[in-house]
Amino acid sequence: MNKSNKSREILVCCGTGCVSAKADKILDALKQETKNKKINVKPTGCHGFCQEGPLVITEPDGILYSRTKTEDVKEIINSHIENNKPVERLFYHEPKTGGKIPHYKDIQFYKKQNRVILRNCGHVNPEDINEYIEKGGYRAIEKALKEMTPEKVLNMINGSSLRGLGGAGFHTGLKWRFCYNAKADEKYIICNGDEGDPGSFQDRSVFEGDPHSVIEGIIIAATTIGAKKGFIYVRAEYPLAVKRLKIALDQAQKKGFLGKNIFDSNKDFDLEIFQGAGAFVCGEETALIASIEGKRGAPRHRPPFPAESGLWGKPTLLNNVKTYASIPNIINNGVEWFTKMGTDNSKGTAIFSLTGEVANCGLVEVPMGMTLREIIYGIGGGTTDNKKFKEIQIGGPSGGCLPESLLDLPVDFDSLKEAGAMMGSGGMVVMDESTCMVDVSKYFLDFTQKESCGYCSPCRLGTKQMLDILNDIVEGKGKPEDMDLLMDLAISIKAGSLCGLGQTAPNPIITTIKYFRQEYEEHINDKLCRAKKCKALISFYINPEKCTGCHLCFTNCPENAIEGEAKKPHKIIQHKCTRCGICFEKCPPKISAIESYAGEKIRI
Amino acid sequence: MEKELNKILSSFQGKSNELIPALQQIQEELGYLPGDAMLYAAEFLNVPESTVFGVASFYAQFRFTPVGKNMIMVCKGTACHVKGAEKVLDEISRQVGIEDGETSADMQYTLESVACIGCCALAPCITINSEVHGRLNAKSIEKIFKRKKAEEKTNE
Ligand SMILES: Cc1cc2nc3c(=O)[nH]c(=O)nc-3n(C[C@H](O)[C@H](O)[C@H](O)COP(=O)(O)O)c2cc1C
Ligand code: FES
């Protein structure tokens, strides 16, 4: 160890996940322990492997400590840093083989990834612009301004075939070209960091881990198309992202990358933060623009597209966080480098937040075209506790649910669309057999119905009708004709809605009916929920042979629906039972006398 | 109140497009948007009162009633939903004695469900006054609130 003459660094992941597990305390303790030593201890943004946090990484040897506690700090310093004996006990534990892996580069989760947009996340201190510069930052904007014309930049972005990573996958080069060609006294630029999809956190992680890569991308775009003013739209629910962006903007301003006459180019550009106020529909570009103008976030009809008439009626370029973060890479490394990654029609990489019932939750970046199986099993390590895989939900409320038979689907913009899902903002939620597909589609529809801005009737009324039908089904009141009605409504809502929210809201229902029809039929015809999720379609029962009469269920039942004397088997009074499941949870695991059933057979 | 509002809005220029940041600032300072404050904002920014209320009621962030000392947000995002957010909400509701969307009579707690707080890898999770608690189950929730209640006692 210590072969390299680079100085010793200890990195503490201070992404939101690790901080919630007290990473900030670990950082303080490490700083305290190393006060008089020549060691650089620094906080970084999300390193990606949230499942195993808090993460502590030592460089240059690249050792990763997982699930670290403040108590471990002394040992890390004494054994590893002072005596070159890394602390084996804290290495990542490979669950399948039981082996301990010291270097993060050797861990499956990282090995199969290709971290391009996330290259700095978890490696630099996001609150220090100099670290970004040391890694080659702000060189692309210098190159673009000093060595290239706007025309050349446009050709390069176009040649890279980069497609917008905000979900719809529109060609970025084309969009930039429209804005560049638009004639106007003023133009604006907006970065879409609304990220309202529940179950995804990649934009947040880029903001928190490497804010300068986004800012540099925005400056390149602005100076190319000729915008003098820009906004970064961030969710107000992301306080850490807002804080880091503020620091980053301030530092970029001081270095002269923002403001007047950037790199002596005679070009000026100002960038400010706009905090969203919590509305999913504001992720849609025209709604987002209305919101910055101080209005209700209702989308409007397109055309005119924002590139022609956007913020305050001026040509406006609007891209996603990850789209902008990709730009410096393309300028620095060239078109050929970029187009080597990905599939024919989707170049480059995609970032997903892999969550749900998967062993390794976290942030993953892979080349477009990797199969779902590789992502879930290769990187994600399969399902939690090796339960049976049921489906993967991709793209949030606008996306769809894909079954096991589609696991070999290469993931890119077009293949997902064909399968009925969508790239969306890149949330991937793995679900196992304990999830009910009707419940999942009801969940998403409940979300879109509430978030519908109410402007157009197919979306406002249609989603409500669909939700009512789904509510009936999970309450055991479903009728055989409901499935056809759901499909009819789905098709009309898709065709008739004004914006992408309504046009995609039926996707979760369409895909679950397509791939899991049988489960709907069981709910409707047999009145049973095989996943035991829908309360009206399950029942609980106390096995008299196992019950010891400990009375725990009796005392905890909020409905007084359990009878029985102490030390004697208890019984559930079925007509009083609301199937809240508290008795099931309270019954001590070694007794497990309470059993749940799909359907009604015990309730009689 | 007028003096206070004047101070809160002192960094604003009085342009209509400042409406959302202005309301955010008021809520940041006062904890919610009192009716009078919205009327003041309307005048200050020179926009119709109906527009102010229209905007304030559109966005989930804005609230029209005061909140408790401890703001509990239960994530009901997809990852959390799959991992049992419903049960987490039920358990917390039992612990603090209020339902989703309510504030306790003693103004100690406000309970709200939200869509995704961005810590999906730690699902199911909640925030209490922006501190995140992840990987929850009935036991750990009980522990959190036992500690909170003990803290309140010592503070009294
Ligand atoms: C309901 C709805 C929500 C959206 N949410 C987001 C979002 O959170 N982030 C995002 O970048 N794009 C979102 N979009 C897509 C944007 O309208 C727009 O296409 C995108 O920001 C363009 O950037 P890109 O070309 O870089 O992808 C949403 C669209 C709809 C219809
Ligand atoms: S789904 Fe709960 S934090 Fe994202």
Side-chain angles (χ1 to χ4, degrees):
Chain A
M1 239 134 289
N2 264 346
K3 276 171 278 182
S4 152
N5 52 8
K6 270 205 230 148
S7 66
R8 173 63 92 185
E9 277 190 333
I10 306 178
L11 288 71
V12 182
C13 175
C14 287
T16 300
C18 285
V19 168
S20 77
K22 310 269 180 300
D24 46 341
K25 301 258 157 54
I26 296 171
L27 179 71
D28 289 345
L30 276 167
K31 279 192 170 152
Q32 186 67 25
E33 276 305 308
T34 54
K35 229 178 6 197
N36 305 318
K37 303 186 171 87
K38 269 181 74 182
I39 298 165
N40 187 13
V41 177
K42 69 183 190 194
T44 69
C46 181
H47 205 273
F49 205 3
C50 312
Q51 178 81 28
E52 293 293 319
L55 303 174
V56 172
I57 291 123
T58 62
E59 293 289 5
D61 47 5
I63 293 207
L64 177 134
Y65 291 126
S66 62
R67 306 202 183 216
T68 327
K69 297 198 179 68
T70 29
E71 298 89 274
D72 303 326
V73 164
K74 275 208 162 78
E75 194 177 343
I76 294 177
I77 300 296
N78 290 342
S79 170
H80 182 170
I81 306 297
E82 310 253 287
N83 293 308
N84 269 335
K85 267 199 243 107
V87 187
E88 239 174 79
R89 164 177 81 77
L90 297 173
F91 289 167
Y92 167 69
H93 201 106
E94 166 68 48
K96 296 246 157 75
T97 61
K100 302 226 172 223
I101 305 176
H103 296 96
Y104 69 83
K105 290 207 170 88
D106 299 327
I107 297 172
Q108 281 292 330
F109 178 79
Y110 290 105
K111 231 172 160 174
K112 300 206 165 166
Q113 293 194 43
N114 190 358
R115 297 194 151 219
V116 181
I117 301 173
L118 297 174
R119 67 198 178 283
N120 289 328
C121 280
H123 299 284
V124 300
N125 178 351
E127 299 186 7
D128 185 352
I129 191 170
N130 292 321
E131 294 207 6
Y132 178 69
I133 295 173
E134 263 168 41
K135 299 256 177 195
Y138 289 107
R139 224 163 279 162
I141 175 66
E142 187 173 4
K143 183 171 164 192
L145 285 176
K146 287 189 174 161
E147 298 165 25
M148 297 167 80
T149 56
E151 190 63 40
K152 241 182 162 169
V153 176
L154 287 172
N155 284 340
M156 200 161 179
I157 302 302
N158 203 28
S160 75
S161 316
L162 173 68
R163 293 173 68 174
L165 294 163
F170 192 78
H171 278 274
T172 307
L174 267 181
K175 206 190 259 186
W176 287 30
R177 172 72 67 185
F178 291 143
C179 276
Y180 177 73
N181 288 346
K183 298 250 174 313
D185 52 344
E186 268 177 320
K187 292 180 189 176
Y188 294 101
I189 194 157
I190 297 173
C191 170
N192 187 348
D194 188 48
E195 196 165 58
D197 282 13
S200 57
F201 53 94
Q202 50 281 78
D203 291 354
R204 159 186 219 153
S205 302
V206 175
F207 278 145
E208 290 178 4
D210 196 17
H212 288 289
S213 66
V214 187
I215 295 174
E216 185 178 5
I218 298 174
I219 305 174
I220 295 170
T223 47
T224 303
I225 65 151
K228 292 198 167 49
K229 172 101 203 150
F231 294 90
I232 302 180
Y233 190 99
V234 205
R235 291 181 79 192
E237 286 94 332
Y238 288 179
L240 188 61
V242 173
K243 178 185 152 211
R244 297 217 168 123
L245 277 170
K246 276 190 181 146
I247 296 173
L249 286 179
D250 207 40
Q251 292 175 343
Q253 187 93 33
K254 289 209 175 94
K255 291 262 180 202
F257 303 143
L258 282 171
K260 297 245 173 292
N261 196 15
I262 302 167
F263 284 108
D264 296 322
S265 61
N266 264 328
K267 289 183 178 171
D268 311 335
F269 181 59
D270 279 318
L271 187 56
E272 65 178 77
I273 298 171
F274 187 95
Q275 292 191 41
F280 173 64
V281 71
C282 285
E284 198 280 334
E285 51 189 21
T286 58
L288 188 150
I289 287 171
S291 179
I292 295 184
E293 289 172 349
K295 301 181 193 143
R296 290 165 71 95
R300 63 156 175 78
H301 198 277
R302 297 177 307 176
F305 286 92
E308 247 176 279
S309 169
L311 193 57
W312 294 301
K314 304 288 181 192
T316 302
L317 176 68
L318 192 143
N319 277 124
N320 172 260
V321 179
K322 289 155 286 174
T323 313
Y324 286 123
S326 306
I327 303 294
N329 273 337
I330 296 175
I331 304 277
N332 283 328
N333 302 330
V335 167
E336 205 172 308
W337 167 84
F338 187 79
T339 48
K340 263 198 206 127
M341 299 179 287
T343 57
D344 283 352
N345 290 319
S346 306
K347 297 293 179 200
T349 57
I351 306 181
F352 298 104
S353 35
L354 190 59
T355 62
E357 300 292 354
V358 60
N360 302 332
C361 286
L363 202 60
V364 302
E365 180 173 358
V366 296
M368 295 271 184
M370 189 180 258
T371 65
L372 283 170
R373 192 181 300 280
E374 266 178 287
I375 297 175
I376 301 169
Y377 289 90
I379 296 172
T383 50
T384 329
D385 305 328
N386 282 325
K387 283 206 210 133
K388 192 165 162 21
F389 173 89
K390 188 167 193 174
E391 61 111 2
I392 181 160
Q393 208 285 336
I394 304 175
S398 327
C401 302
L402 306 181
E404 187 158 21
S405 58
L406 287 178
L407 278 185
D408 291 309
L409 189 78
V411 180
D412 69 15
F413 287 108
D414 307 314
S415 66
L416 284 180
K417 203 160 181 189
E418 218 162 279
M422 205 178 135
M423 193 69 100
S425 66
M428 276 194 176
V429 187
V430 176
M431 308 193 189
D432 64 22
E433 55 195 342
S434 66
T435 31
C436 163
M437 299 319 296
V438 185
D439 174 70
V440 167
S441 44
K442 190 193 88 167
Y443 165 81
F444 281 115
L445 211 61
D446 186 49
F447 179 84
T448 31
Q449 189 263 330
K450 281 194 186 120
E451 293 293 337
S452 167
C453 74
Y455 192 69
C456 74
S457 27
C459 175
R460 180 184 69 242
L461 304 173
T463 53
K464 178 80 173 78
Q465 286 307 317
M466 286 182 87
L467 183 62
D468 286 347
I469 297 173
L470 284 169
N471 271 328
D472 278 352
I473 296 179
V474 301
E475 279 164 18
K477 293 182 246 163
K479 296 183 280 302
E481 61 271 23
D482 282 350
M483 309 244 310
D484 290 339
L485 195 54
L486 277 175
M487 283 308 270
D488 272 357
L489 279 164
I491 291 164
S492 322
I493 295 169
K494 270 179 96 78
S497 294
L498 174 70
C499 86
L501 192 147
Q503 287 158 11
T504 58
N507 284 355
I509 289 83
I510 295 175
T511 49
T512 47
I513 291 187
K514 183 165 166 197
Y515 300 121
F516 300 93
R517 193 178 183 96
Q518 201 187 349
E519 246 176 85
Y520 280 84
E521 285 167 355
E522 282 169 6
H523 279 71
I524 294 171
N525 302 330
D526 310 330
K527 309 290 176 212
L528 70 86
C529 170
R530 61 163 94 171
K532 300 180 198 164
K533 264 270 148 72
C534 303
K535 283 181 184 170
L537 305 176
I538 56 171
S539 48
F540 290 99
Y541 168 71
I542 301 179
N543 185 339
E545 275 161 27
K546 285 187 179 169
C547 180
T548 60
C550 74
H551 230 42
L552 258 180
C553 56
F554 180 93
T555 35
N556 279 295
C557 176
E559 305 296 328
N560 294 323
I562 295 179
E563 57 184 12
E565 289 167 41
K567 307 244 164 65
K568 291 210 177 114
H570 286 35
K571 204 176 150 199
I572 296 176
I573 310 165
Q574 294 294 344
H575 70 270
K576 278 193 180 176
C577 175
T578 58
R579 295 169 289 280
C580 66
I582 293 178
C583 55
F584 187 79
E585 269 167 41
K586 294 285 173 180
C587 186
K590 54 177 189 286
I591 299 174
S592 300
I594 301 190
E595 291 161 6
S596 60
Y597 284 87
E600 290 209 69
K601 47 181 182 263
I602 304 298
R603 210 179 294 162
I604 315 140
Chain B
M1 177 163 253
E2 204 163 318
K3 232 180 173 171
E4 200 183 350
L5 287 166
N6 206 345
K7 206 170 123 212
I8 293 173
L9 296 182
S10 59
S11 61
F12 292 87
Q13 296 165 335
K15 287 197 210 142
S16 64
N17 64 319
E18 292 174 321
L19 178 54
I20 292 171
L23 293 178
Q24 283 169 333
Q25 189 66 34
I26 295 174
Q27 180 158 305
E28 167 89 25
E29 299 282 335
L30 304 179
Y32 73 112
L33 298 179
D36 287 347
M38 283 191 279
L39 295 181
Y40 184 88
E43 196 167 326
F44 183 83
L45 303 170
N46 201 15
V47 285
E49 290 161 9
S50 58
T51 305
V52 176
F53 187 71
V55 166
S57 56
F58 183 87
Y59 296 98
Q61 188 188 16
F62 298 119
R63 58 181 94 250
F64 304 118
T65 48
V67 288
K69 220 169 83 192
N70 295 295
M71 180 75 210
I72 311 166
M73 293 203 193
V74 180
C75 175
K76 284 181 108 181
T78 319
C80 290
H81 176 79
V82 178
K83 294 230 173 187
E86 206 63 45
K87 282 196 182 132
V88 170
L89 185 62
D90 285 350
E91 183 63 35
I92 295 178
S93 167
R94 241 188 326 256
Q95 290 288 337
V96 294
I98 45 173
E99 301 283 321
D100 184 9
E102 291 179 351
T103 299
S104 61
D106 61 0
M107 297 305 285
Q108 278 295 337
Y109 295 100
T110 297
L111 180 59
E112 235 171 52
S113 60
V114 297
C116 196
I117 47 183
C119 308
C120 322
L122 304 174
C125 51
I126 62 168
T127 62
I128 303 179
N129 304 331
S130 43
E131 192 184 332
V132 181
H133 301 264
R135 297 207 183 95
L136 295 171
N137 53 38
K139 265 213 185 94
S140 57
I141 294 171
E142 205 179 316
K143 229 162 89 189
I144 292 170
F145 285 96
K146 257 197 189 135
R147 212 177 47 221
K148 269 252 163 276
K149 282 174 192 159
E151 272 168 31
E152 277 157 36
K153 278 245 165 70
T154 49
N155 286 345
E156 265 166 25

